[in-house]
Amino acid sequence: MKQLFLLLLSTSFMLSSLAQQDGWTPLFNGNNLQGWQQLNGKAKYTVHNGVIVGETVYGEPNSFLITGKTYSDFILEFEFKLDSQMNSGVQFRSESKPDYMNGRVHGYQFEIDPSPRAWTGGIYDEARRDWLYPLDLNPAAKPQYKHGSWNKCRIECIGTNIRTFVNGKEAASIVDDVTLRGFIALQVHSINKPADAGKKIMWRNIRIREKNLQPTPLGNVFVVNLLPNQLSAAEKKNGVRLLWDGQTNNGWRGAYKNAFPEKGWQIANGELTVLPSDGGESTNGGDIVSIDTFKAFIFQFDFKLSEGANSGVKYFVTERENNSGSAIGLEYQILDDDKHPDAKMGSIGNRTLASLYDLIPSLRETRARRNIGEWNRGMIVVHPDNRVEHWLNGWKLLEYQRGTPYYYALVARSKYAAWPQFGMAAYGRLLLQDHGNKVSYRSLKVQELQ
């Protein structure tokens, strides 16, 4: 027995040395939980046959087995397997501080999600900002998770660039600087029913590399860039460009005007702000429109509402109508639903935040909505086949198709019925609306689709 123990010890040491010579450092020695400690909940963590096993315990909050060391730039690889339909995750660049929610673990999480929505590999911000990259942004990666089998995963954190991979396929890509160093942790999620106790998740082959990092070559995965008014290399490769430079009024002019408004708009601190006036529609500085016109595109924009504010982002604006007030176009509604009366007008909520104004209501997904005064990420996607999507903070809240009988029926019963072929222009400008309330915009980006 003593000889067998010495052989195992020698083998473990040699494997560890080889791994470190190759640039990789194992985070799990295959025998016990040395180098790890448990925080928050009391789920069970044990080691069996060279595998860390996490087991759910009823009545306990989310549990985390964390590394004793923190990491900044790294590539992390691990394998996991589920024996049931349980939610879990791997934390990275995460923290636990006494002055933050009494020490609750918070930070980036590689999602493990065997449910039908299939978001394994998405990036969740545990106990902080909710979803940063749900896999609806990259549906091609959803089938990569294999239930009941070992799944090989990879996380690349290099500077502000964070990318995840599931079984060799890129799942999520974000650019963010909120936390640049933190621990790694294995999560066992809380459960709501006693019958769910004893569900297991297993991890093995957990290793990290901190030097001579070679990121995976860039593909064409959609990128969520949370740094204001900036483009990453991956975004540029995807054909994304800034539609506003963050400093001047270049690229924009007043609707029905030859120049940018002389009043009513402010450019400061990387923000493009509608200044408050009388709450009227285009009665102060007026709307602004993009110089460029677009056919099929992805338009991303950050916006921040003041209390009770109203604004909108319009698309396929042609200015052919020569109307008074706000220029005519399809509108992504920007609104304080709780404080502005417009939210209760229209039909079945079709004037609420992220709705197709006066036509289609957005889904009432509460997790997609931020508090007034916080930044939101809006997105409008127009596909070449005229399918249109409205997104808010990573959640798709509505979808429709221009030019269908259903679309024309909606227009016929709306305030736009008087405008022939409303919203059906082949090309149009993008518009930011002045509705007399303070609303700020930034990170205006466009990617044209073929």
Side-chain angles (χ1 to χ4, degrees):
M1 180 65 79
K2 182 177 180 181
Q3 290 178 330
L4 177 60
F5 173 76
L6 292 174
L7 178 61
L8 288 173
L9 184 64
S10 175
T11 302
S12 175
F13 176 78
M14 286 189 296
L15 289 174
S16 177
S17 298
L18 286 172
Q20 293 186 27
Q21 289 173 7
D22 193 34
W24 292 95
T25 300
L27 295 182
F28 169 49
N29 62 21
N31 300 309
N32 54 47
L33 297 178
Q34 182 179 351
W36 299 80
Q37 66 180 87
Q38 190 166 343
L39 289 181
N40 297 172
K42 296 180 180 179
K44 296 178 182 177
Y45 291 92
T46 55
V47 176
H48 295 286
N49 300 321
V51 172
I52 296 177
V53 180
E55 188 173 344
T56 55
V57 172
Y58 178 67
E60 290 296 322
N62 290 354
S63 303
F64 302 90
L65 189 68
I66 77 166
T67 57
K69 180 181 175 181
T70 61
Y71 302 90
S72 179
D73 286 8
F74 60 84
I75 296 175
L76 174 71
E77 292 187 344
F78 60 93
E79 296 177 53
F80 78 89
K81 182 170 71 170
L82 289 169
D83 71 350
S84 60
Q85 296 293 316
M86 68 177 289
N87 181 279
S88 184
V90 172
Q91 298 291 136
F92 58 98
R93 284 185 178 174
S94 293
E95 300 177 307
S96 172
K97 299 179 178 180
D99 59 352
Y100 186 90
M101 301 179 71
N102 296 317
R104 181 171 174 178
V105 169
H106 58 280
Y108 305 111
Q109 181 186 119
F110 176 106
E111 177 75 1
I112 295 175
D113 176 19
S115 74
R117 73 180 183 181
W119 285 1
T120 295
I123 299 175
Y124 181 73
D125 199 0
E126 173 79 15
R128 197 162 57 180
R129 292 173 294 173
D130 207 86
W131 279 100
L132 302 180
Y133 200 109
L135 278 203
D136 285 349
L137 292 170
N138 182 22
K142 289 186 177 186
Q144 290 303 111
Y145 164 72
K146 308 301 179 186
H147 188 66
S149 301
W150 285 102
N151 295 268
K152 186 172 183 179
C153 305
R154 180 179 173 103
I155 302 171
E156 297 180 358
C157 289
I158 303 174
T160 57
N161 296 295
I162 300 173
R163 302 164 70 193
T164 66
F165 301 79
V166 179
N167 293 320
K169 188 175 184 67
E170 187 167 7
S173 177
I174 70 171
V175 182
D176 192 40
D177 63 354
V178 167
T179 306
L180 295 176
R181 173 177 285 275
F183 54 68
I184 291 161
L186 310 180
Q187 184 205 57
V188 174
H189 205 281
S190 61
I191 52 175
N192 298 318
K193 298 180 294 185
D196 289 334
K199 291 186 175 181
K200 297 177 181 179
I201 179 171
M202 291 151 276
W203 293 275
R204 71 181 186 187
N205 295 332
I206 309 169
R207 64 178 191 169
I208 196 165
R209 187 183 187 114
E210 297 181 83
K211 296 180 179 179
N212 301 317
L213 301 178
Q214 298 296 323
T216 303
L218 296 176
N220 58 356
V221 169
F222 181 83
V223 179
V224 172
N225 189 340
L226 300 170
L227 303 184
N229 303 319
Q230 293 190 31
L231 289 177
S232 66
E235 288 176 288
K236 292 176 182 177
K237 184 178 183 298
N238 288 345
V240 180
R241 63 183 175 93
L242 288 172
L243 202 55
W244 180 57
D245 62 17
Q247 300 177 348
T248 71
N249 59 30
N250 291 343
W252 295 81
R253 61 168 174 80
Y256 295 123
K257 298 176 182 177
N258 294 321
F260 196 85
E262 294 182 357
K263 65 172 185 176
W265 290 83
Q266 175 181 280
I267 296 174
N269 303 316
E271 300 176 14
L272 180 58
T273 301
V274 186
L275 297 178
S277 55
D278 60 359
E281 186 179 281
S282 298
T283 57
N284 191 24
D287 303 343
I288 60 173
V289 296
S290 61
I291 300 297
D292 294 340
T293 60
F294 303 96
K295 182 178 183 180
F297 57 86
I298 300 173
F299 180 48
Q300 300 178 68
F301 51 95
D302 290 358
F303 65 92
K304 180 171 64 175
L305 284 157
S306 61
E307 186 173 333
N310 185 351
S311 183
V313 175
K314 298 187 180 184
Y315 47 108
F316 291 108
V317 174
T318 65
E319 301 170 288
R320 287 195 289 253
E321 294 82 3
N322 290 314
N323 63 300
S324 59
S326 184
I328 300 299
L330 296 161
E331 180 177 350
Y332 180 116
Q333 172 77 310
I334 305 291
L335 195 76
D336 178 351
D337 289 346
D338 293 332
K339 298 293 180 66
H340 197 284
D342 212 20
K344 296 179 177 60
M345 300 175 70
S347 175
I348 60 170
N350 63 9
R351 295 188 180 185
T352 55
L353 178 63
S355 293
L356 178 62
Y357 179 76
D358 211 48
L359 295 172
I360 303 175
S362 63
L363 295 176
R364 302 301 298 167
E365 175 54 67
T366 56
R367 292 175 69 178
R369 286 159 168 77
R370 301 287 181 262
N371 294 327
I372 299 302
E374 296 180 358
W375 285 101
N376 295 266
R377 293 180 288 115
M379 184 167 70
I380 299 165
V381 182
V382 179
H383 297 275
D385 65 357
N386 281 325
R387 286 182 299 114
V388 183
E389 303 165 3
H390 285 191
W391 295 70
L392 178 63
N393 296 314
W395 297 83
K396 183 165 68 172
L397 298 188
L398 69 81
E399 184 172 0
Y400 69 99
Q401 189 164 18
R402 296 194 303 155
T404 62
Y406 176 66
Y407 171 81
Y408 285 124
L410 289 172
V411 173
R413 66 175 180 78
S414 75
K415 63 184 290 186
Y416 301 113
W419 304 105
Q421 291 294 299
F422 167 75
M424 287 304 300
Y427 287 85
R429 303 184 195 281
L430 297 166
L431 177 149
L432 305 182
Q433 186 186 51
D434 166 21
H435 210 296
N437 305 129
K438 183 179 180 181
V439 178
S440 297
Y441 294 91
R442 69 182 187 189
S443 297
L444 309 181
K445 302 177 181 181
V446 68
Q447 176 184 351
E448 297 187 68
L449 304 177
Q450 302 298 322

